[in-house]
Amino acid sequence: MAAVELTASPQAPHQRLDPNLLTDVLWACAEPADRPEHLTVLTGDGRADLVLYSLADSAQAARAAALHGVRRALATSPLLSGWTARELPLDILDPFGTPDLETPP
């Protein structure tokens, strides 16, 4: 699982993205090597939050594939012109403080 935040620059032609259209663009830009499984999208003015699930062999591989796939979409889709991506730490998505499953006890 990986979390990515998209942010629009002031020059971006589209300041608010339709979540269904953004989902379609991200799926269209996905490659089999990304091993995508599921995608959740939440959009607002000048921002979109993505949670990407993949069948990667590790959390690190999943995060790398997600960010690479999103950046591929940014580079190829006119809809995303003027938008940037950054990985979000997963702990901000976990208000219950669930321990990292990859860290041995």
Side-chain angles (χ1 to χ4, degrees):
M1 181 170 77
V4 176
E5 175 189 68
L6 299 181
T7 306
S9 72
Q11 295 78 27
H14 303 283
Q15 289 292 314
R16 186 172 183 102
L17 301 172
D18 176 275
N20 295 318
L21 183 56
L22 178 55
T23 298
D24 290 346
V25 167
L26 292 168
W27 275 112
C29 291
E31 294 181 351
D34 299 335
R35 303 192 65 198
E37 183 179 48
H38 180 73
L39 170 64
T40 301
V41 174
L42 179 64
T43 62
D45 291 334
R47 179 178 172 151
D49 295 318
L50 316 173
V51 178
L52 303 103
Y53 300 84
S54 83
L55 298 171
D57 296 333
S58 70
Q60 182 178 0
R63 290 189 301 269
L67 195 55
H68 183 71
V70 169
R71 287 187 173 148
R72 185 183 315 112
L74 292 175
T76 59
S77 174
L79 176 73
L80 299 175
S81 175
W83 286 73
T84 58
R86 75 177 180 107
E87 183 180 359
L88 295 175
L90 290 175
D91 60 346
I92 69 166
L93 300 176
D94 187 4
F96 302 106
T98 305
D100 183 351
L101 298 177
E102 289 196 43
T103 304

